[in-house]
């Protein structure tokens, strides 16, 4: 079980943040989400938000998920 916590800050506390992976699709919504068990490989994770007062904003990061060997601690 590999857990990653994704978080982003917005000037608008009511902003809805959507998280997606280019490999696994939608990951969830919210300013902070836990993500676990990503498909092994490279992911481009995007956070996207749009508010009534701001233009749509998004950013992307790359994450590599590796499956742990069964005999590893």
């Amino acid at each position: 079980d590999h857990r990653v916590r994704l978080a982003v800050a917005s000037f608008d506390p009511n902003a809805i943040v959507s998280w997606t992976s280019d490999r696994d699709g939608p990951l969830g919504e919210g300013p902070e989400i836990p993500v676990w068990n990503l498909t092994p490989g490279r992911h481009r994770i995007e956070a996207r938000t749009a508010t009534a007062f701001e233009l749509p904003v998004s950013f992307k990061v790359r994450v590599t998920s590796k499956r742990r060997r069964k005999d590893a601690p």
Side-chain angles (χ1 to χ4, degrees):
D1 181 22
H2 298 357
R3 186 177 305 191
V4 175
R5 182 162 302 278
L6 301 173
V8 66
S10 172
F11 292 111
D12 181 351
N14 298 318
I16 297 173
V17 180
S18 299
W19 298 89
T20 58
S21 161
D22 64 337
R23 292 178 62 95
D24 292 340
L27 300 174
E29 287 189 347
E32 185 175 329
I33 63 168
V35 177
W36 57 91
N37 295 328
L38 289 171
T39 301
R42 289 181 105 182
H43 293 257
R44 183 173 50 219
I45 296 179
E46 180 177 15
R48 180 175 284 271
T49 184
T51 68
F53 304 108
E54 300 175 8
L55 295 173
V57 176
S58 71
F59 75 91
K60 298 175 185 174
V61 295
R62 287 207 181 268
V63 175
T64 300
S65 175
K66 296 181 180 179
R67 193 173 302 272
R68 218 159 69 169
R69 292 184 359 211
K70 292 189 183 220
D71 59 343

